[in-house]
Amino acid sequence: MTNQVKCPYKKVDLSWFTGTANPCPDLYQPICGTNFVTYENPCIFCIESMKSHGKIRFQNDGKC
C-alpha cells in the first residue's frame, strides 16, 4: 500500500515569495521526502514540495 501526502496548497504560486513564513502548526510528525530530508511535519513538507515545483515528493512516514 502506498501512502501519499496531499498538499492542499498546490494551486498557490509562491515563486515570488522570498521571505520567511511558517503557516504550519508546531507539530512533530516526521515525514521523509524523496530528497532524503526529514521534515518536521506534513505541512512543512508540503511547503518545501511546492517550492521545489513538485520535485520533492513523499517517500515515507517517519525519519529518513
Side-chain angles (χ1 to χ4, degrees):
M1 181 174 154
T2 302
N3 291 332
Q4 291 190 7
V5 174
K6 295 191 187 253
C7 297
Y9 314 107
K10 73 169 59 165
K11 293 182 182 179
V12 177
D13 180 13
L14 296 176
S15 61
W16 57 271
F17 186 71
T18 57
T20 303
N22 187 5
C24 299
D26 193 22
L27 168 73
Y28 186 70
Q29 184 181 355
I31 188 170
C32 182
T34 53
N35 60 345
F36 299 104
V37 171
T38 300
Y39 296 95
E40 195 169 315
N41 60 49
C43 178
I44 293 171
F45 165 78
C46 285
I47 290 173
E48 293 303 315
S49 179
M50 286 187 299
K51 285 170 35 180
S52 75
H53 302 285
K55 291 178 184 170
I56 300 172
R57 296 183 179 270
F58 173 78
Q59 179 74 25
N60 60 272
D61 286 323
K63 294 181 180 181
C64 293

